[in-house]
Amino acid sequence: MGKLYVGNSGSTPAIVKVEEVPKVKFGVSIDNIIGDVDANGVLNQLNIPSFEFVGTSIKIVEPGALSCKFKSALATRPINVTKILLPDLEQVRNTGCSQIAMESAYLVEVDLGHLSIVNSISAFQDAFTKCYNLMNTGLDNVTEITGSYAFQRAYSSCSKLQSTSLNNLTIISGDYACQEMFETADSITSTGLHNLTSIDGNYACENMFYGCKENINIGLDKLESISGAYTCQKMFGYNTKLTTVYFPVLTVVSTANAMGRNASSGMFAGCTNLTEIH
C-alpha cells in the first residue's frame, strides 16, 4: 500500500470499513413508523407505507414491551400495520401488549402463537380497540384468562370480527378481566364459549358482548359457576336478535348481584326479543 507524506514524514493511511446498519427489523422499517423526507426536505405523515410485523422468535413479552407500539390515530399518528404475527408467543406479562395496535384501521390479521394462559394484569387491555378491519382474534389456543383487566376492551368495536376463537377457553377469572372485550363487535355470531366452566371476578364479563347486532350463539353449555360483584352485568346487553338462552349445567351463582343490579342492568338487559331462558 502507498504511503501518505506530510512534509518529509510518511505514514500508511488507515483503512476505514463502512458497514450498513440493517434498516428493517421484524419486517418494520423506520419509514413505517415516522415516514420519509420528500425531495424538498419535508417530513410529513402522507403516504406512510403499510407493513407486517413478523415477530418470529418472540416467546415472552415483558411489561410494556409492545405497549402502544403500533397504536394509531389516522388524523394525527397513522401507523399502517396490516398484520401482527407472533407465531412463537407463549407469555405476555403485565401491560406487555396493552394498546399495541389500538385504532389501527389497516390491521386485518393477528397471530398470538402458542399463547395459552393469560394471567397478567392488563396484558391486552385495549390492544385492538377500534381495529375496524380486523378479521380474527388470534386467541385460538387460549385456555385461561385469569388476569385483572387482561382483555378489557381488547376487541371492542372490531366490526368485521365474526368469531372470537375462544373455543378452548375454560376459565375467566379476575376483576374486569374481559369487561367490554367484544362490545359492539357487530358481526360476531358466536361467543365460542362452549367450553367455559367458570366466571369469577368483579365486573369480569360486564358488557363483554354488549350491543352485538347478530343473533349470537351465547354458548355457555358447560358453564357451572358465576361469582363476583356484577361479573356478568349486561354481558349480552341490547343484543336485540337474541331469542333463546340455555344454561344447562349452571348450578352456582354465589354473588347476589353477579348478573346485574336490576332489570335495566341485567345480563340480558335490552334484549327485547328474548323469550326463553333455560
Side-chain angles (χ1 to χ4, degrees):
M1 178 179 290
K3 289 187 176 182
L4 172 68
Y5 284 87
V6 179
N8 294 320
S9 301
S11 63
T12 302
I15 298 173
V16 178
K17 185 178 181 181
V18 178
E19 293 186 359
E20 183 178 353
V21 176
K23 190 178 182 181
V24 176
K25 186 172 185 178
F26 295 128
V28 186
S29 75
I30 193 68
D31 291 347
N32 296 135
I33 304 301
I34 64 172
D36 201 1
V37 178
D38 67 17
N40 298 315
V42 177
L43 178 67
N44 58 46
Q45 297 183 141
L46 301 176
N47 301 317
I48 290 181
S50 61
F51 65 97
E52 298 178 7
F53 177 70
V54 185
T56 305
S57 78
I58 297 175
K59 294 182 178 181
I60 299 173
V61 178
E62 288 285 5
L66 287 176
S67 178
C68 300
K69 282 294 185 289
F70 308 115
K71 182 179 179 180
S72 183
L74 289 181
T76 58
R77 188 176 185 261
I79 303 293
N80 299 339
V81 59
T82 60
K83 296 182 181 181
I84 295 177
L85 307 176
L86 295 162
D88 303 310
L89 187 64
E90 296 175 358
Q91 185 177 5
V92 176
R93 294 179 176 157
N94 294 351
T95 70
C97 290
S98 64
Q99 299 186 41
I100 180 175
M102 184 177 180
E103 299 185 25
S104 294
Y106 295 95
L107 185 67
V108 297
E109 182 180 342
V110 170
D111 181 357
L112 299 179
H114 305 293
L115 188 66
S116 175
I117 297 174
V118 182
N119 56 7
S120 302
I121 297 171
S122 300
F124 288 91
Q125 187 178 32
D126 292 304
F128 308 107
T129 299
K130 296 183 180 179
C131 291
Y132 297 119
N133 289 298
L134 184 61
M135 301 293 289
N136 75 308
T137 65
L139 301 176
D140 308 71
N141 295 314
V142 172
T143 60
E144 297 181 17
I145 297 173
T146 60
S148 297
Y149 303 95
F151 281 94
Q152 187 186 48
R153 295 183 299 273
Y155 301 92
S156 175
S157 299
C158 292
S159 53
K160 287 192 176 179
L161 276 182
Q162 294 186 343
S163 171
T164 66
S165 296
L166 289 174
N167 300 300
N168 291 307
L169 184 66
T170 60
I171 296 171
I172 295 175
S173 178
D175 295 348
Y176 306 93
C178 294
Q179 186 191 46
E180 300 174 2
M181 186 175 179
F182 297 100
E183 181 184 32
T184 63
D186 294 341
S187 299
I188 288 178
T189 57
S190 175
T191 66
L193 299 178
H194 302 287
N195 286 304
L196 185 68
T197 60
S198 64
I199 301 173
D200 175 50
N202 299 330
Y203 300 94
C205 290
E206 183 190 34
N207 294 341
M208 188 175 181
F209 295 94
Y210 181 95
C212 293
K213 292 183 179 180
E214 295 300 321
N215 184 13
I216 194 167
N217 179 350
I218 71 165
L220 304 180
D221 309 330
K222 297 181 180 179
L223 183 64
E224 299 173 358
S225 65
I226 298 173
S227 61
Y230 315 115
T231 188
C232 291
Q233 181 168 264
K234 292 185 285 186
M235 184 175 180
F236 299 96
Y238 294 88
N239 284 260
T240 55
K241 291 184 179 180
L242 191 63
T243 58
T244 306
V245 173
Y246 292 90
F247 296 105
V249 295
L250 180 62
T251 56
V252 178
V253 181
S254 59
T255 310
N257 52 19
M259 292 186 172
R261 294 178 176 85
N262 47 46
S264 62
S265 65
M267 190 173 185
F268 302 100
C271 295
T272 51
N273 286 304
L274 180 60
T275 56
E276 298 179 44
I277 298 178
H278 298 277

